[in-house]
């Protein structure tokens, strides 16, 4: 154990015992090279094995370790203790989600939002599987940024508009829909437009912009949503002016 | 058995972080702009009367400290709206040349600050010439 | 996430955006003109000041431009104010809120049209 320690004030909720959440403080050894996830794992290994939280890769790839750190959504495997030391660190589950237990959030609603935008290549032809769909580097560049999402949900925790309308599709799901709409191999834009153009789609967004600010993968979901608004609006006028035309 | 806990969201979220406060500030420029638009209607109406007396009252009101104060507030709000609007333009309308994205500053200047300068300069020239 | 609500928000958003551009480009300089140029930078001769202002504003392209600016900027403000009020917790007011905000903007636009035609 090093001489120095740091305090973690951790959000606890045990559904089998608790009606409300509580805050439990732990003193954790302080190492400069430790991230908050290391500290949580130390607590779990040495102090309190019942503390629950999600993590896997420890390198910002799996997207499972997102938590509120002093009120800001962060990947705990990428948030160093030294950036907070010597003050205590408040660790809470991501906001805008129900809490399953301790730092674990319920993701069911997000999962259904994610699948509702049909995040796969939609083709209206029936070409044989072995036939390749070619794509040029610039066609790839058109959507690549929006395909980097790791579903860490930091953007959902950063979005105040989700509180007003919990059915709002939200940043990551819209960014993913936009990613497929921009893909030169995809032909499903019209199918996705119904959901993107609904009140629960892009119109839940007032462009606060914090989703883009907190995204650890530089996905720019706020940009994706605005660009999708433009596309949906063009589509709306097209339907108005050419109601008989094919969309 | 699952018993998910729903945490209440703070009703005053827009005061909580600097980013949220800046967002609200941006949105509230619309209140100042709306106020100015109402003034603009009255101003045009007054000008439309055409006689020297109504124009004199227009002038004396414009010289009043209250008018100067309100115009200053409106000017700051409108300029803040312009700046935030132009800065967000590249987000809404990104452009690419081949594989490369046109830098945000270039878009903001070409589609925002540049025309802003031209329009403002032209209108000032037209009124002052 | 189970239901989808159809909406014409695209229409209001297009007005909001067009108005945002108009307001961003024109309003700062217009505020400067009515607030500072007219009272302090146009000399002392009231008659000539009036003549210059009137001839400027009655020039037809200027009337049309002013109408476009006021009309679109009004809807820009109406849309933003509506969303601010929703953020402040008035989401439940729904259509009533829309009628108030966009109705006020429409009234402003009509007034602008009448005033500008009769200038
Ligand atoms: S868009 Fe960014 S912040 Fe949102 S889930 Fe994906 S990686 Fe995380
Ligand atoms: S543990 Fe995988 S992203 Fe943090």
């Amino acid at each position: 154990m090093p001489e120095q320690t740091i305090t973690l004030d951790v959000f606890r909720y045990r559904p089998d015992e608790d009606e409300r959440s509580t805050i439990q403080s732990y003193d954790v050894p302080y190492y400069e090279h430790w991230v908050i996830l290391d500290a949580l794992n130390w607590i779990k290994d040495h102090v309190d094995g019942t503390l629950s939280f999600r993590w896997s890769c420890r390198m910002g790839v799996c997207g499972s370790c997102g938590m509120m750190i002093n009120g800001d959504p962060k990947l705990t495997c990428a948030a160093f203790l030294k950036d907070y030391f010597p003050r205590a660190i408040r660790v809470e589950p991501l906001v805008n989600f129900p809490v399953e237990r301790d730092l674990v959030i319920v993701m069911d609603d997000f999962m259904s939002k994610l699948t509702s935008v049909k995040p796969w290549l939609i083709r209206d032809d029936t070409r044989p599987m072995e036939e390749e769909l070619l794509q040029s580097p610039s066609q790839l560049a058109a959507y690549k940024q929006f395909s980097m999402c790791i579903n860490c949900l930091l953007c959902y925790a950063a979005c105040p508009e989700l509180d007003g309308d919990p059915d709002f599709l939200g940043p990551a799901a819209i960014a993913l829909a936009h990613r497929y709409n921009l893909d030169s191999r995809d032909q499903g834009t019209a199918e996705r437009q119904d959901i993107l153009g609904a009140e629960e789609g892009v119109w839940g967004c007032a462009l606060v912009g914090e989703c883009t600010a907190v995204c650890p993968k530089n996905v720019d979901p706020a940009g994706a949503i605005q660009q999708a608004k433009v596309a949906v609006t063009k589509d709306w006028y097209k339907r108005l002016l050419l109601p008989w035309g094919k969309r | 058995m699952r018993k998910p806990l729903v945490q209440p969201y703070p009703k005053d979220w827009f005061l909580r972080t600097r980013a949220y406060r800046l967002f609200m500030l941006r949105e509230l420029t619309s209140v100042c702009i709306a106020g100015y638009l109402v003034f603009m209607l009255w101003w045009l109406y007054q000008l439309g009367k055409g006689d020297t007396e109504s124009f004199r009252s227009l002038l004396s009101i414009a010289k009043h400290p209250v008018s100067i104060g309100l115009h200053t507030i409106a000017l700051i709000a409108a300029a803040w709206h312009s700046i935030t609007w132009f800065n967000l333009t590249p987000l809404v309308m990104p452009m690419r040349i081949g594989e490369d994205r046109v830098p945000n500053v270039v878009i903001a200047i070409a589609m925002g600050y540049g025309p802003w300068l031209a329009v403002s300069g032209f209108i000032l020239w037209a009124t002052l010439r | 996430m189970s239901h989808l609500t159809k909406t014409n928000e695209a229409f209001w958003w297009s007005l909001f955006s067009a108005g945002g551009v108009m307001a961003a480009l024109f309003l700062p300089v217009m505020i400067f003109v009515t607030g500072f140029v007219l009272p302090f930078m146009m000399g002392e001769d009231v008659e000539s000041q009036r003549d210059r202002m009137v001839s400027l504003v009655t020039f037809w392209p200027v009337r049309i431009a002013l109408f476009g600016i006021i009309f679109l900027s009004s809807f820009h403000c109406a849309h933003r104010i509506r969303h601010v009020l929703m953020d402040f917790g008035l989401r439940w007011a729904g259509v009533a809120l829309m009628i108030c905000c966009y109705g006020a903007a429409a009234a402003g636009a009509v007034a602008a049209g009448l005033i500008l035609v009769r200038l």
Side-chain angles (χ1 to χ4, degrees), chain A residues 109 161 167 199-200 236-237, chain C residues 1 3 5 8 13-14 87:
Chain A
D109 183 58
E161 299 296 318
D167 285 336
E199 203 164 297
E200 293 79 8
W236 188 90
Y237 275 99
Chain C
M1 186 54 234
H3 56 93
T5 317
N8 290 323
W13 187 77
S14 64
D87 281 341

Side-chain angles (χ1 to χ4, degrees), chain A residues 55-162:
Chain A
W55 62 282
S56 173
C57 70
R58 301 195 304 172
M59 51 192 281
V61 172
C62 72
S64 56
C65 68
M67 297 169 207
M68 303 301 284
I69 304 301
N70 289 349
D72 298 325
K74 298 249 192 250
L75 293 182
T76 47
C77 69
F80 283 87
L81 295 180
K82 69 169 188 286
D83 294 331
Y84 301 89
F85 186 77
R87 294 201 281 149
I89 304 174
R90 194 154 40 86
V91 185
E92 290 160 305
L94 291 178
V95 296
N96 279 326
F97 293 93
V99 180
E100 191 82 68
R101 170 184 200 98
D102 295 341
L103 300 165
V104 176
I105 53 163
V106 181
M107 294 177 67
D108 305 2
D109 183 58
F110 168 71
M111 287 305 179
S112 76
K113 284 176 180 173
L114 200 61
T115 46
S116 74
V117 302
K118 310 191 181 185
W120 50 81
L121 288 181
I122 298 174
R123 302 282 307 177
D124 49 22
D125 56 6
T126 43
R127 54 170 64 220
M129 279 293 274
E130 48 283 359
E131 216 172 287
E132 280 178 282
L133 288 165
L134 296 178
Q135 191 163 56
S136 72
S138 61
Q139 285 172 328
L140 170 69
Y143 70 83
K144 184 157 183 235
Q145 181 180 24
F146 301 128
S147 72
M148 303 307 281
C149 174
I150 56 174
N151 294 343
C152 66
L153 303 185
L154 299 194
C155 52
Y156 282 68
C159 178
E161 299 296 318
L162 268 162

